[in-house]
Amino acid sequence: EHSLIMSEVLCCPAHVRRFTSELCFESYGVPAILYSPDCGLSYYKHSPTLPDGISITSGFYTTRICPFLNHRLFTNKAK
């Protein structure tokens, strides 16, 4: 009945996304899912008008630094 926006870690393995999609579609009847890296959702939420910037996210085991240029996430430059 409702679509789902799912945040995921940067460079999440494809099999995790497939399993999550299968579970949501078949078990819960979700009509659509949008996957986005957590750093991207955070950056666009807090800096929607700034074209360039950095999003720093930290978790239990990792810290990620994600650069944005012209509103675009550069995954090859993320650390």
Side-chain angles (χ1 to χ4, degrees), residues 3-8 17 25 30 32-37 41:
S3 297
L4 182 65
I5 297 176
M6 180 75 70
S7 67
E8 62 183 4
R17 185 182 284 188
F25 291 138
V30 173
I33 301 174
L34 169 72
Y35 290 96
S36 179
L41 291 174

Side-chain angles (χ1 to χ4, degrees), residues 42-57:
S42 176
Y43 180 77
Y44 290 121
K45 167 66 178 164
H46 297 288
S47 304
T49 59
L50 297 176
D52 303 331
I54 293 175
S55 173
I56 301 172
T57 58

